């Protein structure tokens, strides 16, 4: 008997504040109006997606000391938007990106548990970190955290949050009207934690939520990020573009789970993915090329070049050749983007590609900054998605449309039915919670006694 076919997981990413989002397209709507969030969320729920994902930035990006205004600038705060969406959706998971460097566990655990209650068990937290002083300037601690410490703090943050979520026993509320007893005080534990980053001693103000713990998502491909995901996350939001890269990443992360006593199915790997659909594969390829030219206009091409080269490149023609100038070795003009580990090596790679393919600056940026993950007819895209999942290169994908709010409409109407016909994607939700959608068990409460809960230490030295 052959093994059952692996099921595809899908999530919808609201288009972000980067050049993937084509805000200047006539079909593009508001980036902040609530109706835009509602449209995309309801489209995802109609397609039986696992969850709706919101990214977040804590400082506006800058280029040459000015706000980078070529892309979308400014967005509402994630948890507020998702709390509102909980009232207009029924089954769709609601995932908020919230920074573990510039928040506090007690307050954030409370807000996430509240969202889990309001949504009846659909909350998720995408844990991100920040090490740069540029973002830190917006906060009291002002960038004090070294890059090497960011995952240490994040792992401690998650452990403490889980302790707070576990501090109420599931049956602590009795609401006995006859006896006049609302809660059993002995079933509400005191969390005691004193470690490098946090000191907390107190009781959570929010009862245990429907999922026990909101789903934890981790975004990052570094070795530290992979280890953090293996120890602490339920979903990892990754970035890899080819089937071979996906298989290597998948095998590496799943292998790490055993050292934390976890099984492979307890962590879902869901890379970001973009798409371009057409009536035929050729039509889709033409559409994909046009989208990329929209995403990388002349000014955007120069901005990308300045980010890599670390110097002012505004005098050069984006439709002309790459200039014969060397990059600045130190961090240069761009603030609020991911830092480059080796600017000189990246620039050398770009130059080699430009010379090999005889590309203009704009063509080079289009070539080097990514392209649609899935391009083709609906049948071709469905087949490719299934190839990744059945081939253990991913458990599913977080889809990033290029238009707000209708960028997911065609995918739900054309690709989802094919995946359903193939028997690899649900036709109805199996349960009400996000853990149900992802096939994840509800965590058992970790309260050890009626007096308090000590936050557990990491499973092994250096795990975070």
């Amino acid at each position: 008997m052959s093994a059952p076919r692996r099921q595809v997981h899908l999530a919808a990413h609201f288009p972000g504040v980067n050049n993937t989002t084509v805000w200047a397209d006539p079909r593009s709507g508001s980036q902040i109006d609530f109706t835009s969030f509602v449209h995309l969320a309801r489209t995802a729920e109609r397609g039986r997606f696992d969850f709706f994902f919101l990214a977040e930035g804590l400082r506006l990006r800058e280029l040459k000391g000015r706000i980078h205004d070529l892309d979308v600038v400014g967005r509402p705060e994630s948890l507020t938007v998702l709390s509102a969406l909980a009232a207009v959706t029924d089954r769709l998971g609601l995932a908020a990106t919230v920074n573990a460097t510039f928040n506090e566990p007690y307050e954030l655990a409370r807000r996430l548990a509240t969202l889990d209650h309001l949504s009846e068990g659909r909350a998720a937290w995408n844990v991100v970190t920040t090490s740069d002083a540029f973002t830190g300037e917006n906060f009291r601690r002002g960038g004090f955290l070294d890059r090497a410490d960011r995952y240490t703090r994040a792992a401690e943050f998650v452990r403490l949050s889980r302790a707070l979520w576990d501090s109420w026993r599931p049956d602590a509320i009795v609401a006995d009207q006859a006896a006049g007893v609302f809660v059993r005080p002995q079933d509400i534990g005191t969390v005691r934690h004193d470690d490098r980053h946090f000191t907390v001693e107190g009781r959570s103000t929010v009862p245990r939520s429907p999922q026990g713990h909101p789903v934890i998502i981790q975004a990052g491909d570094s070795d530290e990020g992979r280890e953090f995901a293996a120890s602490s996350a339920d979903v990892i939001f990754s970035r890899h573009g080819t089937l071979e890269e996906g298989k290597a990443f998948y095998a590496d992360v799943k292998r790490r789970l055993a050292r934390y006593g976890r099984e492979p199915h307890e962590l879902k790997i869901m890379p970001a993915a973009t798409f371009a659909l057409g009536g035929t594969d050729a039509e889709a390829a033409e559409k994909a090329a046009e989208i990329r030219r929209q995403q990388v206009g002349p000014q955007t091409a120069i901005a990308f070049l300045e980010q890599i080269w670390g110097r002012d490149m505004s005098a050069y023609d984006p439709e002309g050749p790459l200039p014969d100038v060397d990059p600045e070795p130190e961090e240069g003009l761009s603030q609020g983007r991911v830092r480059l580990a080796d600017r000189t090596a990246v620039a050398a790679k770009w130059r080699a590609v430009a010379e090999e393919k005889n590309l203009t600056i704009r063509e080079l940026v289009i070539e080097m900054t990514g392209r649609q993950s899935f391009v083709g007819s609906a049948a071709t895209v469905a087949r490719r998605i299934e190839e990744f999942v059945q081939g253990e290169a991913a458990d599913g994908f977080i889809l990033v449309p290029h238009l707000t709010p209708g960028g997911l409409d065609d995918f739900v109407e054309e690709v989802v039915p094919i995946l359903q016909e193939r028997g690899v994607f649900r036709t109805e939700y199996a349960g009400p919670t996000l853990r149900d959608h992802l096939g994840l068990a509800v965590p058992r409460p970790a309260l050890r006694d009626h007096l308090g809960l000590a936050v557990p230490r990491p499973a092994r030295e250096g795990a975070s």
Side-chain angles (χ1 to χ4, degrees):
M1 180 181 294
S2 60
R5 301 173 80 183
R6 289 160 45 83
Q7 294 296 294
V8 173
H9 293 278
L10 293 174
H13 188 309
F14 192 85
V17 288
N18 53 47
N19 73 304
T20 298
T21 305
V22 184
W23 60 266
D25 190 294
R27 297 167 295 173
S28 182
S30 173
Q31 308 295 320
I32 60 173
D33 193 286
F34 185 56
T35 58
S36 291
F37 294 97
V38 171
H39 181 110
L40 190 64
R42 284 180 167 168
T43 301
E45 187 166 71
R46 188 171 70 251
R48 304 297 186 261
F49 279 38
D50 293 49
F51 59 89
F52 176 85
F53 182 97
L54 286 180
E56 184 169 74
L58 295 179
R59 181 161 180 175
L60 300 181
R61 289 185 292 131
E62 293 182 9
L63 184 66
K64 294 186 283 191
R66 299 177 55 202
I67 292 173
H68 180 74
D69 62 352
L70 299 178
D71 300 333
V72 174
V73 179
R75 278 282 174 76
E77 187 272 332
S78 297
L79 281 169
T80 305
V81 173
L82 294 179
S83 295
L85 286 177
V88 296
T89 55
D90 296 315
R91 290 290 182 266
L92 185 69
L94 303 169
T97 299
V98 187
N99 198 294
T101 305
F102 299 114
N103 281 282
E104 295 297 321
Y106 186 91
E107 174 61 17
L108 182 55
R110 183 170 174 266
R111 294 168 66 202
L112 287 163
T114 298
L115 177 60
D116 206 45
H117 277 291
L118 293 178
S119 64
E120 299 181 302
R122 296 185 280 138
W125 171 25
N126 178 41
V127 183
V128 296
T129 64
T130 302
S131 61
D132 64 274
F134 174 74
T135 301
E137 289 174 359
N138 279 348
F139 297 88
R140 177 175 54 82
R141 65 178 62 89
F144 82 99
L145 191 63
D146 290 336
R147 182 180 179 88
D149 292 333
R150 61 181 186 167
Y151 281 114
T152 303
R153 178 185 167 96
E156 188 179 334
F157 198 126
V158 171
R159 289 194 301 273
L160 180 49
S161 297
R162 283 174 165 158
L164 289 160
W165 293 328
D166 280 341
S167 64
W168 285 61
R169 293 191 185 278
D171 57 354
I173 295 178
V174 293
D176 187 334
Q177 295 179 339
V181 176
F182 188 80
V183 69
R184 298 188 187 96
Q186 68 271 24
D187 287 346
I188 303 174
T190 298
V191 174
R192 297 186 175 93
H193 178 83
D194 186 5
D195 211 332
R196 177 180 176 186
H197 293 287
F198 309 108
T199 299
V200 172
E201 182 165 352
R203 297 183 175 93
S204 172
T205 60
V206 182
R208 186 170 174 85
S209 69
Q211 292 188 110
H213 303 167
V215 168
I216 299 294
I217 304 171
Q218 189 273 331
D221 288 352
S222 68
D223 187 72
E224 296 94 334
R226 297 181 191 202
E227 203 67 39
F228 176 61
S231 68
S232 305
D234 301 304
V235 176
I236 183 166
F237 179 16
S238 62
R239 295 184 182 277
H240 46 73
T242 68
L243 185 64
E244 293 72 24
E245 291 172 348
K247 286 182 175 181
F249 180 89
Y250 190 97
D252 176 63
V253 174
K254 296 281 187 173
R255 172 184 55 78
R256 298 176 189 234
L257 292 169
R259 69 186 71 171
Y260 300 100
R262 304 181 68 193
E263 298 294 330
H265 71 274
E266 294 178 348
L267 175 64
K268 306 303 182 190
I269 296 176
M270 299 180 66
T274 54
F275 60 91
L277 297 173
T280 64
D281 289 355
E283 180 183 316
E286 292 179 5
K287 184 176 179 181
E290 177 56 30
I291 292 171
R292 290 299 292 140
R293 289 187 65 80
Q294 287 180 298
Q295 292 169 331
V296 183
Q299 291 177 285
T300 296
I302 294 298
F304 266 104
L305 204 65
E306 290 176 333
Q307 180 190 358
I308 303 298
W309 259 254
R311 60 165 70 227
D312 188 345
M313 307 288 271
S314 58
Y316 297 99
D317 181 2
E319 305 298 350
L322 191 66
D324 186 20
V325 295
D326 294 326
E328 294 288 346
E330 300 299 325
E331 198 65 32
L333 306 177
S334 180
Q335 296 276 21
R337 291 182 180 268
V338 176
R339 289 174 178 265
L340 297 174
D342 188 342
R343 183 183 307 280
T344 301
V346 173
K349 181 179 179 181
W350 280 45
R351 185 176 299 283
V353 172
E355 292 174 353
E356 177 188 353
K357 299 187 177 183
N358 193 29
L359 301 176
T360 66
I361 291 174
R362 186 180 181 193
E363 290 169 341
L364 176 64
V365 173
I366 289 173
E367 176 75 16
M368 300 302 291
T369 60
R371 53 180 58 83
Q372 285 76 13
S373 309
F374 300 109
V375 177
S377 66
T380 295
V381 169
R383 184 173 63 252
R384 285 289 290 161
I385 289 173
E386 187 179 0
E387 183 181 0
F388 271 79
V389 173
Q390 305 308 327
E392 296 190 343
D395 291 308
F397 292 94
I398 298 178
L399 298 177
V400 188
H402 71 285
L403 291 178
T404 304
L408 197 64
D409 294 1
D410 289 347
F411 187 97
V412 166
E413 293 168 6
E414 298 175 23
V415 179
V416 166
I418 296 174
L419 292 171
Q420 292 170 332
E421 290 170 7
R422 290 172 175 266
V424 296
F425 191 67
R426 66 175 69 88
T427 56
E428 295 294 340
Y429 288 110
T433 73
L434 178 53
R435 288 185 174 274
D436 291 328
H437 309 343
L438 293 168
L440 300 172
V442 174
R444 296 176 61 184
L447 269 173
R448 297 176 183 173
D449 55 47
H450 287 215
L451 297 177
L453 176 67
V455 178
R457 294 294 185 260
R460 70 178 182 89
E461 188 67 25
S464 57

